[in-house]
Amino acid sequence: MMEQTVRVLGAPMDLGADRRGVDMGPSAIRYAGLAEEIANVGQSCVDGGDIAVPRPENRVPDTEPFETGHAKYFQETKEVCEDVSTAVAGTVSDGEFPLMLGGDHSIAIGTVAGVTTDLNTGIVWFDAHGDFNTPATTPSGNVHGMALAAILGRGPFADTPWAHSPRVPEGNVAMVGVRDLDDSETELLADSDVSVYTMSDIDTRGITAVVEEALAVATEGVEQVHVSLDMDCLDPGEAPGVGTPVRGGISYREAHAAMELVHENVGSRMSSFELVEVNPILDQHNRTAELGCELVASAFGRRVL
Ligand SMILES: [Mn+2]
């Protein structure tokens, strides 16, 4: 990335997931020493605080619909994502680099909306899951499993202007670390222009070849690239504190190598970075948040030598 002030923004959002706890992610990541990690790679860092997120406990039963279609907390998610988008767009117009902390992955809808107001943007989406359901296909109704489909305006999201980011060409989206897709997602992804790199691709080709190709796909012909790091792309042995753990993920070293490649290959074109799905309730002594901070540092240029 360029020499530029990093503005940390938190979205303590857990309305998009069933398991509670990812709302504490932004605090856990800050306590793990995020600002120091950023300072150590020579970037200056300011903290823009947290976006307000409604708590399910404060909802008044029977006065508001619980779901719209089959997307739980649709209205609340819209409002939070609009606020995230406004905060991220403000960061960009102030000449600072937005580093978004989740929260569940539904906040990516807001992050991407905030960085794509003027510029065509690719996305590299590190994740165990597809996040490619729509309200028409989702088995759970949880919006974090629909975030990427929403950004691309898939299915019912075509008519959802707050979610659909038309500045993201589908052919410039690459997913890395995938190992757990719903049947509907398998079909939708096979039918799409999204490049999907599974764990099996990483086993066969190695993390370097896969991530280099994913970054090339994401940057081809666009002005900038957004990096979305769902900590569940890692193996739960390394990152136990995530919203939806799935065995067989990328290793500690592979994750660092991937983030180092982000810095080397697209650092100057990276528009924004987000770190999501850290769940302190399921974590061990905050190690998942600490690892998240380390990975941010690698993406921002930390080197051994
Ligand atoms: Mn995800």
Side-chain angles (χ1 to χ4, degrees), residues 161-186:
W162 62 271
H164 180 196
S165 286
R167 291 269 196 180
V168 180
E170 203 168 273
N172 289 110
V173 176
M175 310 181 60
V176 179
V178 176
R179 56 192 182 279
D180 186 15
L181 296 175
D182 296 322
D183 291 344
S184 51
E185 289 180 301
T186 306

PDB file of all heavy atoms in Angstrom, residues 161-186:
ATOM      1  N   PRO A 161     -30.368  -1.323  -4.335  1.00  0.00           N
ATOM      2  CA  PRO A 161     -29.267  -0.414  -4.666  1.00  0.00           C
ATOM      3  C   PRO A 161     -28.255  -0.217  -3.537  1.00  0.00           C
ATOM      4  O   PRO A 161     -27.077   0.007  -3.805  1.00  0.00           O
ATOM      5  CB  PRO A 161     -29.966   0.909  -4.993  1.00  0.00           C
ATOM      6  CG  PRO A 161     -31.418   0.653  -4.984  1.00  0.00           C
ATOM      7  CD  PRO A 161     -31.684  -0.708  -4.475  1.00  0.00           C
ATOM      8  N   TRP A 162     -28.663  -0.317  -2.277  1.00  0.00           N
ATOM      9  CA  TRP A 162     -27.705  -0.110  -1.179  1.00  0.00           C
ATOM     10  C   TRP A 162     -26.696  -1.247  -1.118  1.00  0.00           C
ATOM     11  O   TRP A 162     -25.601  -1.079  -0.583  1.00  0.00           O
ATOM     12  CB  TRP A 162     -28.423   0.014   0.173  1.00  0.00           C
ATOM     13  CG  TRP A 162     -29.213  -1.208   0.583  1.00  0.00           C
ATOM     14  CD1 TRP A 162     -30.520  -1.464   0.270  1.00  0.00           C
ATOM     15  CD2 TRP A 162     -28.759  -2.310   1.369  1.00  0.00           C
ATOM     16  NE1 TRP A 162     -30.895  -2.677   0.809  1.00  0.00           N
ATOM     17  CE2 TRP A 162     -29.841  -3.212   1.491  1.00  0.00           C
ATOM     18  CE3 TRP A 162     -27.546  -2.635   1.983  1.00  0.00           C
ATOM     19  CZ2 TRP A 162     -29.740  -4.421   2.198  1.00  0.00           C
ATOM     20  CZ3 TRP A 162     -27.451  -3.831   2.675  1.00  0.00           C
ATOM     21  CH2 TRP A 162     -28.541  -4.707   2.788  1.00  0.00           C
ATOM     22  N   ALA A 163     -27.032  -2.420  -1.664  1.00  0.00           N
ATOM     23  CA  ALA A 163     -26.148  -3.585  -1.582  1.00  0.00           C
ATOM     24  C   ALA A 163     -25.344  -3.795  -2.854  1.00  0.00           C
ATOM     25  O   ALA A 163     -24.163  -4.128  -2.824  1.00  0.00           O
ATOM     26  CB  ALA A 163     -26.964  -4.839  -1.278  1.00  0.00           C
ATOM     27  N   HIS A 164     -25.997  -3.592  -3.998  1.00  0.00           N
ATOM     28  CA  HIS A 164     -25.379  -3.906  -5.290  1.00  0.00           C
ATOM     29  C   HIS A 164     -24.373  -2.810  -5.659  1.00  0.00           C
ATOM     30  O   HIS A 164     -24.747  -1.643  -5.761  1.00  0.00           O
ATOM     31  CB  HIS A 164     -26.491  -4.016  -6.333  1.00  0.00           C
ATOM     32  CG  HIS A 164     -25.996  -4.338  -7.698  1.00  0.00           C
ATOM     33  ND1 HIS A 164     -26.757  -4.165  -8.820  1.00  0.00           N
ATOM     34  CD2 HIS A 164     -24.800  -4.823  -8.130  1.00  0.00           C
ATOM     35  CE1 HIS A 164     -26.062  -4.527  -9.892  1.00  0.00           C
ATOM     36  NE2 HIS A 164     -24.876  -4.923  -9.502  1.00  0.00           N
ATOM     37  N   SER A 165     -23.110  -3.190  -5.863  1.00  0.00           N
ATOM     38  CA  SER A 165     -22.074  -2.230  -6.267  1.00  0.00           C
ATOM     39  C   SER A 165     -21.747  -2.441  -7.736  1.00  0.00           C
ATOM     40  O   SER A 165     -20.964  -3.317  -8.088  1.00  0.00           O
ATOM     41  CB  SER A 165     -20.799  -2.414  -5.431  1.00  0.00           C
ATOM     42  OG  SER A 165     -20.974  -1.907  -4.133  1.00  0.00           O
ATOM     43  N   PRO A 166     -22.346  -1.637  -8.634  1.00  0.00           N
ATOM     44  CA  PRO A 166     -22.166  -1.866 -10.077  1.00  0.00           C
ATOM     45  C   PRO A 166     -20.738  -1.628 -10.551  1.00  0.00           C
ATOM     46  O   PRO A 166     -20.386  -2.018 -11.665  1.00  0.00           O
ATOM     47  CB  PRO A 166     -23.140  -0.863 -10.718  1.00  0.00           C
ATOM     48  CG  PRO A 166     -23.441   0.139  -9.664  1.00  0.00           C
ATOM     49  CD  PRO A 166     -23.257  -0.529  -8.340  1.00  0.00           C
ATOM     50  N   ARG A 167     -19.901  -1.019  -9.710  1.00  0.00           N
ATOM     51  CA  ARG A 167     -18.505  -0.773 -10.091  1.00  0.00           C
ATOM     52  C   ARG A 167     -17.608  -1.987  -9.849  1.00  0.00           C
ATOM     53  O   ARG A 167     -16.387  -1.897 -10.020  1.00  0.00           O
ATOM     54  CB  ARG A 167     -17.960   0.407  -9.294  1.00  0.00           C
ATOM     55  CG  ARG A 167     -18.570   1.738  -9.683  1.00  0.00           C
ATOM     56  CD  ARG A 167     -17.716   2.359 -10.756  1.00  0.00           C
ATOM     57  NE  ARG A 167     -17.973   3.776 -10.938  1.00  0.00           N
ATOM     58  CZ  ARG A 167     -17.320   4.492 -11.831  1.00  0.00           C
ATOM     59  NH1 ARG A 167     -16.406   3.917 -12.578  1.00  0.00           N
ATOM     60  NH2 ARG A 167     -17.587   5.762 -11.974  1.00  0.00           N
ATOM     61  N   VAL A 168     -18.193  -3.115  -9.414  1.00  0.00           N
ATOM     62  CA  VAL A 168     -17.407  -4.340  -9.235  1.00  0.00           C
ATOM     63  C   VAL A 168     -17.760  -5.317 -10.357  1.00  0.00           C
ATOM     64  O   VAL A 168     -18.801  -5.965 -10.316  1.00  0.00           O
ATOM     65  CB  VAL A 168     -17.680  -5.006  -7.867  1.00  0.00           C
ATOM     66  CG1 VAL A 168     -16.843  -6.275  -7.722  1.00  0.00           C
ATOM     67  CG2 VAL A 168     -17.414  -4.053  -6.709  1.00  0.00           C
ATOM     68  N   PRO A 169     -16.903  -5.415 -11.398  1.00  0.00           N
ATOM     69  CA  PRO A 169     -17.175  -6.393 -12.460  1.00  0.00           C
ATOM     70  C   PRO A 169     -17.028  -7.812 -11.895  1.00  0.00           C
ATOM     71  O   PRO A 169     -16.047  -8.108 -11.210  1.00  0.00           O
ATOM     72  CB  PRO A 169     -16.100  -6.107 -13.502  1.00  0.00           C
ATOM     73  CG  PRO A 169     -15.522  -4.765 -13.142  1.00  0.00           C
ATOM     74  CD  PRO A 169     -15.692  -4.636 -11.663  1.00  0.00           C
ATOM     75  N   GLU A 170     -18.004  -8.658 -12.194  1.00  0.00           N
ATOM     76  CA  GLU A 170     -17.987 -10.015 -11.631  1.00  0.00           C
ATOM     77  C   GLU A 170     -16.712 -10.768 -11.990  1.00  0.00           C
ATOM     78  O   GLU A 170     -16.192 -11.555 -11.201  1.00  0.00           O
ATOM     79  CB  GLU A 170     -19.215 -10.779 -12.132  1.00  0.00           C
ATOM     80  CG  GLU A 170     -19.600 -11.927 -11.243  1.00  0.00           C
ATOM     81  CD  GLU A 170     -20.978 -12.475 -11.596  1.00  0.00           C
ATOM     82  OE1 GLU A 170     -21.970 -11.937 -11.068  1.00  0.00           O
ATOM     83  OE2 GLU A 170     -21.052 -13.439 -12.387  1.00  0.00           O
ATOM     84  N   GLY A 171     -16.178 -10.500 -13.185  1.00  0.00           N
ATOM     85  CA  GLY A 171     -14.951 -11.173 -13.621  1.00  0.00           C
ATOM     86  C   GLY A 171     -13.712 -10.733 -12.861  1.00  0.00           C
ATOM     87  O   GLY A 171     -12.648 -11.329 -13.012  1.00  0.00           O
ATOM     88  N   ASN A 172     -13.836  -9.695 -12.044  1.00  0.00           N
ATOM     89  CA  ASN A 172     -12.718  -9.225 -11.219  1.00  0.00           C
ATOM     90  C   ASN A 172     -12.868  -9.640  -9.757  1.00  0.00           C
ATOM     91  O   ASN A 172     -12.270  -9.015  -8.876  1.00  0.00           O
ATOM     92  CB  ASN A 172     -12.585  -7.710 -11.304  1.00  0.00           C
ATOM     93  CG  ASN A 172     -12.072  -7.237 -12.643  1.00  0.00           C
ATOM     94  OD1 ASN A 172     -12.815  -6.637 -13.419  1.00  0.00           O
ATOM     95  ND2 ASN A 172     -10.826  -7.542 -12.946  1.00  0.00           N
ATOM     96  N   VAL A 173     -13.679 -10.672  -9.518  1.00  0.00           N
ATOM     97  CA  VAL A 173     -13.839 -11.172  -8.152  1.00  0.00           C
ATOM     98  C   VAL A 173     -13.198 -12.552  -8.055  1.00  0.00           C
ATOM     99  O   VAL A 173     -13.466 -13.432  -8.876  1.00  0.00           O
ATOM    100  CB  VAL A 173     -15.329 -11.239  -7.758  1.00  0.00           C
ATOM    101  CG1 VAL A 173     -15.491 -11.863  -6.375  1.00  0.00           C
ATOM    102  CG2 VAL A 173     -15.953  -9.851  -7.795  1.00  0.00           C
ATOM    103  N   ALA A 174     -12.319 -12.727  -7.071  1.00  0.00           N
ATOM    104  CA  ALA A 174     -11.654 -14.013  -6.846  1.00  0.00           C
ATOM    105  C   ALA A 174     -11.834 -14.415  -5.390  1.00  0.00           C
ATOM    106  O   ALA A 174     -11.646 -13.604  -4.483  1.00  0.00           O
ATOM    107  CB  ALA A 174     -10.173 -13.917  -7.179  1.00  0.00           C
ATOM    108  N   MET A 175     -12.208 -15.688  -5.186  1.00  0.00           N
ATOM    109  CA  MET A 175     -12.357 -16.223  -3.830  1.00  0.00           C
ATOM    110  C   MET A 175     -11.243 -17.224  -3.576  1.00  0.00           C
ATOM    111  O   MET A 175     -10.929 -18.043  -4.444  1.00  0.00           O
ATOM    112  CB  MET A 175     -13.692 -16.942  -3.695  1.00  0.00           C
ATOM    113  CG  MET A 175     -14.861 -16.107  -4.179  1.00  0.00           C
ATOM    114  SD  MET A 175     -16.394 -17.004  -3.977  1.00  0.00           S
ATOM    115  CE  MET A 175     -16.318 -17.231  -2.228  1.00  0.00           C
ATOM    116  N   VAL A 176     -10.675 -17.192  -2.369  1.00  0.00           N
ATOM    117  CA  VAL A 176      -9.551 -18.068  -2.036  1.00  0.00           C
ATOM    118  C   VAL A 176      -9.820 -18.772  -0.701  1.00  0.00           C
ATOM    119  O   VAL A 176     -10.219 -18.113   0.264  1.00  0.00           O
ATOM    120  CB  VAL A 176      -8.233 -17.268  -1.928  1.00  0.00           C
ATOM    121  CG1 VAL A 176      -7.072 -18.181  -1.545  1.00  0.00           C
ATOM    122  CG2 VAL A 176      -7.926 -16.534  -3.234  1.00  0.00           C
ATOM    123  N   GLY A 177      -9.580 -20.104  -0.682  1.00  0.00           N
ATOM    124  CA  GLY A 177      -9.698 -20.865   0.569  1.00  0.00           C
ATOM    125  C   GLY A 177     -11.014 -21.591   0.742  1.00  0.00           C
ATOM    126  O   GLY A 177     -11.299 -22.151   1.803  1.00  0.00           O
ATOM    127  N   VAL A 178     -11.820 -21.607  -0.331  1.00  0.00           N
ATOM    128  CA  VAL A 178     -13.185 -22.136  -0.248  1.00  0.00           C
ATOM    129  C   VAL A 178     -13.182 -23.653  -0.012  1.00  0.00           C
ATOM    130  O   VAL A 178     -12.402 -24.393  -0.627  1.00  0.00           O
ATOM    131  CB  VAL A 178     -13.941 -21.800  -1.559  1.00  0.00           C
ATOM    132  CG1 VAL A 178     -15.323 -22.415  -1.563  1.00  0.00           C
ATOM    133  CG2 VAL A 178     -14.022 -20.290  -1.744  1.00  0.00           C
ATOM    134  N   ARG A 179     -14.024 -24.105   0.917  1.00  0.00           N
ATOM    135  CA  ARG A 179     -14.150 -25.535   1.180  1.00  0.00           C
ATOM    136  C   ARG A 179     -15.517 -25.942   1.693  1.00  0.00           C
ATOM    137  O   ARG A 179     -15.727 -27.111   2.039  1.00  0.00           O
ATOM    138  CB  ARG A 179     -13.082 -25.982   2.183  1.00  0.00           C
ATOM    139  CG  ARG A 179     -13.085 -25.217   3.497  1.00  0.00           C
ATOM    140  CD  ARG A 179     -11.815 -25.525   4.281  1.00  0.00           C
ATOM    141  NE  ARG A 179     -11.734 -24.889   5.574  1.00  0.00           N
ATOM    142  CZ  ARG A 179     -11.348 -23.620   5.779  1.00  0.00           C
ATOM    143  NH1 ARG A 179     -11.036 -22.857   4.761  1.00  0.00           N
ATOM    144  NH2 ARG A 179     -11.293 -23.130   7.004  1.00  0.00           N
ATOM    145  N   ASP A 180     -16.467 -25.022   1.770  1.00  0.00           N
ATOM    146  CA  ASP A 180     -17.782 -25.362   2.306  1.00  0.00           C
ATOM    147  C   ASP A 180     -18.846 -24.546   1.574  1.00  0.00           C
ATOM    148  O   ASP A 180     -19.114 -23.409   1.929  1.00  0.00           O
ATOM    149  CB  ASP A 180     -17.809 -25.070   3.815  1.00  0.00           C
ATOM    150  CG  ASP A 180     -19.104 -25.525   4.469  1.00  0.00           C
ATOM    151  OD1 ASP A 180     -19.851 -26.315   3.842  1.00  0.00           O
ATOM    152  OD2 ASP A 180     -19.378 -25.086   5.604  1.00  0.00           O
ATOM    153  N   LEU A 181     -19.422 -25.145   0.503  1.00  0.00           N
ATOM    154  CA  LEU A 181     -20.443 -24.456  -0.284  1.00  0.00           C
ATOM    155  C   LEU A 181     -21.786 -25.158  -0.126  1.00  0.00           C
ATOM    156  O   LEU A 181     -21.845 -26.394  -0.073  1.00  0.00           O
ATOM    157  CB  LEU A 181     -20.071 -24.462  -1.773  1.00  0.00           C
ATOM    158  CG  LEU A 181     -18.805 -23.717  -2.197  1.00  0.00           C
ATOM    159  CD1 LEU A 181     -18.542 -23.937  -3.694  1.00  0.00           C
ATOM    160  CD2 LEU A 181     -18.935 -22.223  -1.907  1.00  0.00           C
ATOM    161  N   ASP A 182     -22.860 -24.401  -0.065  1.00  0.00           N
ATOM    162  CA  ASP A 182     -24.191 -24.983  -0.185  1.00  0.00           C
ATOM    163  C   ASP A 182     -24.394 -25.390  -1.646  1.00  0.00           C
ATOM    164  O   ASP A 182     -23.776 -24.803  -2.538  1.00  0.00           O
ATOM    165  CB  ASP A 182     -25.259 -23.962   0.225  1.00  0.00           C
ATOM    166  CG  ASP A 182     -25.145 -23.566   1.693  1.00  0.00           C
ATOM    167  OD1 ASP A 182     -24.837 -24.461   2.513  1.00  0.00           O
ATOM    168  OD2 ASP A 182     -25.352 -22.377   2.021  1.00  0.00           O
ATOM    169  N   ASP A 183     -25.293 -26.366  -1.887  1.00  0.00           N
ATOM    170  CA  ASP A 183     -25.527 -26.818  -3.265  1.00  0.00           C
ATOM    171  C   ASP A 183     -25.939 -25.657  -4.173  1.00  0.00           C
ATOM    172  O   ASP A 183     -25.487 -25.558  -5.316  1.00  0.00           O
ATOM    173  CB  ASP A 183     -26.611 -27.900  -3.295  1.00  0.00           C
ATOM    174  CG  ASP A 183     -26.127 -29.187  -2.645  1.00  0.00           C
ATOM    175  OD1 ASP A 183     -24.893 -29.333  -2.450  1.00  0.00           O
ATOM    176  OD2 ASP A 183     -26.970 -30.043  -2.321  1.00  0.00           O
ATOM    177  N   SER A 184     -26.778 -24.778  -3.632  1.00  0.00           N
ATOM    178  CA  SER A 184     -27.234 -23.634  -4.431  1.00  0.00           C
ATOM    179  C   SER A 184     -26.045 -22.743  -4.803  1.00  0.00           C
ATOM    180  O   SER A 184     -25.976 -22.225  -5.921  1.00  0.00           O
ATOM    181  CB  SER A 184     -28.262 -22.829  -3.645  1.00  0.00           C
ATOM    182  OG  SER A 184     -27.767 -22.521  -2.350  1.00  0.00           O
ATOM    183  N   GLU A 185     -25.102 -22.586  -3.874  1.00  0.00           N
ATOM    184  CA  GLU A 185     -23.937 -21.739  -4.153  1.00  0.00           C
ATOM    185  C   GLU A 185     -23.051 -22.368  -5.227  1.00  0.00           C
ATOM    186  O   GLU A 185     -22.483 -21.664  -6.078  1.00  0.00           O
ATOM    187  CB  GLU A 185     -23.109 -21.540  -2.888  1.00  0.00           C
ATOM    188  CG  GLU A 185     -23.776 -20.653  -1.852  1.00  0.00           C
ATOM    189  CD  GLU A 185     -22.901 -20.495  -0.615  1.00  0.00           C
ATOM    190  OE1 GLU A 185     -22.570 -21.523   0.017  1.00  0.00           O
ATOM    191  OE2 GLU A 185     -22.566 -19.360  -0.277  1.00  0.00           O
ATOM    192  N   THR A 186     -22.897 -23.685  -5.169  1.00  0.00           N
ATOM    193  CA  THR A 186     -22.095 -24.376  -6.188  1.00  0.00           C
ATOM    194  C   THR A 186     -22.647 -24.081  -7.574  1.00  0.00           C
ATOM    195  O   THR A 186     -21.896 -23.747  -8.500  1.00  0.00           O
ATOM    196  CB  THR A 186     -22.104 -25.894  -5.923  1.00  0.00           C
ATOM    197  OG1 THR A 186     -21.682 -26.117  -4.579  1.00  0.00           O
ATOM    198  CG2 THR A 186     -21.198 -26.634  -6.883  1.00  0.00           C
TER     199      THR A 186
END
